[in-house]
Amino acid sequence: MIPRGIIWLILLIPVAVQAEPACKIHKGIGETLIQATILAQDRVLTPGDVRIDPDGRIDCVAAHCPTPPTATRIICTDAVLSPGFINTHDHLDFNDTPPKPDTGERFAHRHEWRAGLDGHQRLEDFKPNRDPLSLSWSELRFLVGGATSTVAERMAPGLLRNLDFRAGLESLDITPATYNIFPLDDASGVMRTRDCDYGHHPATRAQVAATSAFLAHVAEGRDEAARNEFRCQSSTSYDVTPQPGGGGVSNDWLMPQAALIHAVALTPQDLDLVAARSASIVWSPRSNLSLYGRTLDILAARKRGITIALGSDWLPSGSMNLNRELACALHYNHAHLHDALSDRELWRMVAHNAAHVAGAEAAIGDIAVGKRADLVLFADPEHQNVHKVVRATPQDEMLVMRGGKILVGRSDIVDALQPSCEAIGVPGATLKLCPEPGRASADEISAYASSRGLYPLAFTGVPLNEPPCEVSP
């Protein structure tokens, strides 16, 4: 068997790439103008202009934005500009654990694989790694896929916006989201089917009402125990008998700022209630299918007008970035939903919808006047616009900005705008990272990943041991 460190090095060997679309770059001062195909929320400009003010806000989106001759200009007519992707569900501190070859075993509830219950083998036999360089490597993996923000339980400063940490908002004037993995206080592995006797400190309505956005794992599984979690968090009358020590009664915290992560076990009646309360759902199809063999009834949720965002979950059973989560969603949509979901709907799940779910829609998630310039430019020589964006790979990435500042981009573009940036190893692409002053350099992050044989930033095809995206018993 080839050691992981050797595999990592092999994957960084340059491979042949197609000719890259050319851009005309003029380095100036003050404002920045980007000309490309523009994916705005309500229209597509082909081509169009986006003008960014010196503070990193968008101040013009139009077919033509008047711009002083001293401005920086990025003219890429064979490219498409999208809002930066927002990954609304991941666990950064577990992303140093690579996916293992699929054994075919499927589960009915998350505690079966977490704790080895009901005769199953315990899969969570790994520990979190909170080393800032490990977290940075994981964020860089998201970044080279076009993400500019995430909700991921941990954070590495200076790369993505970490929307669940005040210190990670990177100057956004919003309240950070609240991320709760065990809202029933059931990390010990408690499973119930007829009452709410979980932990002593479950999330309450008052706690959720005090948040700007509350994202929580609910009904992760396909059995009655998974569905019982929803009953215990959407009703004040389902269980009114307290247990000694606290908890034990059902709470109703379904409200507009609530987002249910996974929600696989929800019935049509449950989805009616989610819709009636204007709550949202975070969909992670790859992890759902690889662990449980099924996923959320996405068409039933969409029929009810529920806002749905996409999240990669984590590396062990989910997707390495949102590109691959979109690839799974596209496959599932084609193979099982007869392409009922449009490309634009899927795109909104990683842009506008995701910003809404994270409580950040006033600042990011759209290319619109007044929003922060969190933008990703993908090569699009065939002018497929949103069709291209939801199928993009890191090899298609040309430029990623957060608040108008370059984070990652193709070498020729970055060199013309910010020549001090550092090369990063992405097979099939020539990308550079522009770390913020005082943050870890590309060399430091890459050396850490190489020394520990961490999973690569990207692949040129299907990722190594990628968890399956197939329905199974």
Side-chain angles (χ1 to χ4, degrees), residues 174-208:
I174 63 171
T175 302
T178 298
Y179 185 20
N180 194 321
I181 303 170
F182 300 104
L184 287 166
D185 191 22
D186 61 327
S188 62
V190 181
M191 294 193 291
R192 310 296 295 177
T193 58
R194 297 178 181 275
D195 59 44
C196 301
D197 292 346
Y198 296 98
H200 299 305
H201 304 285
T204 66
R205 184 174 184 84
Q207 290 171 344
V208 177

Side-chain angles (χ1 to χ4, degrees), residues 289-305:
L289 293 166
S290 68
L291 290 172
Y292 312 111
R294 57 175 280 189
T295 188
L296 166 74
D297 188 344
I298 194 73
L299 294 188
R302 172 233 213 181
K303 180 180 178 181
R304 288 159 174 78

Side-chain angles (χ1 to χ4, degrees), residues 107-113 191 220-223 225-226 229 292:
F107 307 89
H109 192 283
R110 67 169 168 166
H111 291 328
E112 292 182 343
W113 59 263
M191 294 193 291
E220 185 183 346
R222 60 186 187 183
D223 62 1
E229 296 176 3
Y292 312 111

Side-chain angles (χ1 to χ4, degrees), residues 321-334:
N321 57 25
L322 281 179
N323 301 139
R324 295 308 302 171
E325 195 66 24
L326 281 165
C328 178
L330 284 162
H331 172 74
Y332 181 78
N333 183 42
H334 180 71

